Amino acid sequence: MPVNRTSKTKTAIVKSAMELFALHGYKGTSVRKIASKVGIRESALYNHFKNKEAIFLTVCSDIFTTPFAQKNIQDDAKKGKKFLAGFVVQYKLVSFDTKKEKLFRIMMIELLQDPVLRKNFLDESHHRNIALLSEAFFVMMQSGLIRSSDPMFMANEFLAPLFYYRLQVTLFRIDSEPTTALSTLFEKHVDFFWESIAIH
Amino acid sequence: MPVNRTSKTKTAIVKSAMELFALHGYKGTSVRKIASKVGIRESALYNHFKNKEAIFLTVCSDIFTTPFAQKNIQDDAKKGKKFLAGFVVQYKLVSFDTKKEKLFRIMMIELLQDPVLRKNFLDESHHRNIALLSEAFFVMMQSGLIRSSDPMFMANEFLAPLFYYRLQVTLFRIDSEPTTALSTLFEKHVDFFWESIAIH
DNA sequence: AGGATAAATTAACAACTGTTCATATATACT
DNA sequence: AGTATATATGAACAGTTGTTAATTTATCCT
């Protein structure tokens, strides 16, 4: 089947490109290196992609596939700490997922250089999470579970350490250093934060 | 004076290089573009620097000039919230400083690609701040000012939002968006955090 | 089997990269 | 003023970049 074979090469290109982009960024990755990693000549790449940027866009296409598909925040948020713990479990899973980590590396490298990527990060990652958490904290305040404050600011305070820990995980993994000590930070964050805002 | 003139050109090279590195990263900045920005030919650069990397190292040399020269943490930390507020004032000043912001951009771009820069970031920025804050929180716990917890973890929780807000400031500034809303986050963080850990 | 289509190869292109060289010009010191 | 030194220039280098074209090889469909 030609469709199958085409698909195989194209998949291999995306996979190899993803690894190289994650290591050396967009500018530091040449089409020749991608082709070489796949095992073909550089000109063969152009049978599958229009140009280098098209490869990059395909690699980046599922950077922001949101894993936090919360449906009933109004109800779930009433569970208080359990809701936050669930959120962090998802966040932690993403942080330690091998493929997601590569995409995270690419995002961090290009974040300050690529306007589109930057906008997507702010919209799809930051604002989306902030909106979700803001709504949850608002519900918790109304339910008398936590002390009253600005929900959106509280969301920022809750999200920021998660991002920081994720970045640290990524940095440690680049240098092949153990991340076991970092692993517990996520759960400790939930405990610490809940202790900070809960009404006992 | 030739020394003066030399110094002028060399300073101009560093300045131009810093701006270009902050915009396009190391690989995205060519020696020709640096020279062009200075107003000289590329070959003239090599009268002042051995090679491109030497320029980069000179630009990066004061990325990690620690602004937090706390001498008497043992005493200062006993001031509790005021100590934290002072720390955040320093952090905020750095975050909004134009030159420091450019260096921060360079660091963020190269952080995942340059092992030396990464090590310096972890040592000089992260660990140093964590060590300082850990000691301060430890003193505060002993003084009965704040609730008991793991000082180092508490330091992480305190530092992480500051870093996240600084990153947001940088991202907003790249796209020339107003950072007034972000500006208050630093102070709000101190209030919120102190409210979370203080023993009333 | 044979023609159509997809995917690979080899070769080449223009532009750009970091760097070096020989040379010219400007500045400093005696 | 004249010489030494510092700094600039123009040209060239070998290598790499993204991309294209012509051509060969492999796969698919009837």
Side-chain angles (χ1 to χ4, degrees):
Chain A
M1 286 170 270
V3 182
N4 223 346
R5 198 171 188 282
T6 305
S7 189
K8 249 181 199 165
T9 307
K10 194 162 185 173
T11 309
I13 292 170
V14 173
K15 192 188 166 198
S16 297
M18 188 170 70
E19 287 174 13
L20 290 172
F21 285 143
L23 283 174
H24 311 109
Y26 181 79
K27 288 163 188 161
T29 303
S30 67
V31 292
R32 275 173 181 80
K33 282 178 195 155
I34 297 173
S36 168
K37 199 174 174 71
V38 174
I40 56 178
R41 300 295 128 121
E42 58 271 19
S43 53
L45 285 182
Y46 292 84
N47 286 321
H48 304 276
F49 293 95
K50 186 193 157 202
N51 51 24
K52 186 188 176 185
E53 200 194 352
I55 301 175
F56 184 71
L57 290 177
T58 303
V59 169
C60 290
S61 64
D62 52 353
I63 283 190
F64 300 110
T65 51
T66 169
F68 312 122
Q70 292 284 353
K71 292 284 175 183
N72 301 316
I73 308 170
Q74 297 289 335
D75 289 340
D76 289 348
K78 287 179 183 146
K79 290 190 276 182
K81 188 182 175 181
K82 281 198 175 175
F83 174 87
L84 296 179
F87 183 90
V88 169
V89 164
Q90 295 298 318
Y91 201 98
K92 190 180 172 181
L93 276 176
V94 171
S95 300
F96 282 92
D97 178 82
T98 309
K99 187 188 169 187
K100 287 283 177 188
E101 194 212 337
K102 281 172 194 153
L103 294 174
F104 184 71
R105 284 193 204 185
I106 297 173
M107 196 201 65
M108 287 304 295
I109 294 174
E110 305 301 329
L111 187 60
L112 285 89
Q113 305 179 73
D114 187 331
V116 179
L117 213 53
R118 186 162 58 248
K119 189 185 178 341
N120 283 341
F121 167 73
L122 285 172
D123 291 350
E124 305 291 321
S125 181
H126 176 70
H127 290 145
R128 185 189 294 265
N129 279 330
I130 292 297
L132 179 76
L133 289 168
S134 293
E135 196 178 342
F137 283 129
F138 181 74
V139 171
M140 291 182 203
M141 287 175 199
Q142 280 190 316
S143 307
L145 288 171
I146 61 174
R147 64 180 162 103
S148 189
S149 180
D150 174 11
M152 188 170 288
F153 173 72
M154 197 178 267
N156 269 285
E157 290 281 309
F158 184 75
L159 185 64
L162 298 178
F163 179 84
Y164 196 69
Y165 299 151
R166 182 178 188 183
L167 179 60
Q168 280 193 61
V169 168
T170 302
L171 295 182
F172 273 55
R173 284 202 169 183
I174 292 181
D175 300 321
S176 305
E177 287 174 29
T179 53
T180 45
L182 293 173
S183 178
T184 61
L185 289 177
F186 292 86
E187 288 85 0
K188 284 181 79 176
H189 172 62
V190 181
D191 293 336
F192 181 85
F193 199 85
W194 185 255
E195 188 78 13
S196 302
I197 62 173
I199 295 176
H200 304 92
Chain B
M1 284 170 270
V3 182
N4 223 347
R5 199 172 187 281
T6 307
S7 188
K8 249 181 200 167
T9 308
K10 194 161 186 174
T11 309
I13 291 171
V14 173
K15 192 188 166 199
S16 296
M18 188 171 69
E19 287 173 15
L20 290 172
F21 285 143
L23 283 174
H24 311 109
Y26 182 79
K27 288 164 188 162
T29 303
S30 67
V31 291
R32 274 173 182 80
K33 282 179 194 156
I34 297 173
S36 167
K37 200 174 174 71
V38 175
I40 55 177
R41 300 293 125 111
E42 59 270 17
S43 52
L45 284 181
Y46 291 85
N47 285 322
H48 304 276
F49 293 95
K50 187 194 158 201
N51 51 25
K52 185 187 176 185
E53 200 194 353
I55 302 176
F56 183 72
L57 290 177
T58 303
V59 169
C60 290
S61 63
D62 52 354
I63 284 190
F64 300 110
T65 51
T66 169
F68 312 121
Q70 292 284 353
K71 292 282 176 184
N72 301 317
I73 307 170
Q74 296 290 334
D75 289 340
D76 289 348
K78 286 181 182 144
K79 290 189 275 182
K81 189 181 176 182
K82 282 199 174 174
F83 173 87
L84 296 179
F87 182 90
V88 170
V89 164
Q90 295 299 319
Y91 201 97
K92 190 180 171 182
L93 276 175
V94 172
S95 300
F96 281 92
D97 178 83
T98 309
K99 186 187 169 188
K100 287 283 178 188
E101 194 212 337
K102 281 173 193 154
L103 294 174
F104 183 71
R105 285 194 204 183
I106 296 174
M107 196 202 64
M108 287 304 295
I109 294 174
E110 305 301 329
L111 187 59
L112 286 89
Q113 304 179 73
D114 187 331
V116 179
L117 212 53
R118 185 161 59 248
K119 188 184 179 342
N120 284 341
F121 166 74
L122 286 172
D123 291 350
E124 304 291 322
S125 182
H126 175 70
H127 290 145
R128 185 189 294 265
N129 279 329
I130 292 297
L132 179 75
L133 290 168
S134 293
E135 197 178 342
F137 284 129
F138 182 74
V139 171
M140 292 182 202
M141 287 176 199
Q142 281 189 316
S143 306
L145 288 171
I146 61 174
R147 64 180 162 103
S148 188
S149 180
D150 174 10
M152 188 170 288
F153 173 71
M154 197 177 267
N156 269 285
E157 290 281 310
F158 183 75
L159 185 64
L162 297 178
F163 177 84
Y164 196 69
Y165 299 150
R166 182 178 188 182
L167 178 61
Q168 280 192 63
V169 168
T170 303
L171 295 182
F172 273 55
R173 283 202 168 184
I174 293 181
D175 300 321
S176 304
E177 287 174 29
T179 53
T180 45
L182 293 172
S183 178
T184 63
L185 289 177
F186 291 85
E187 288 85 0
K188 284 181 80 176
H189 172 62
V190 182
D191 293 337
F192 181 86
F193 199 85
W194 184 255
E195 188 78 13
S196 302
I197 62 172
I199 295 177
H200 304 92

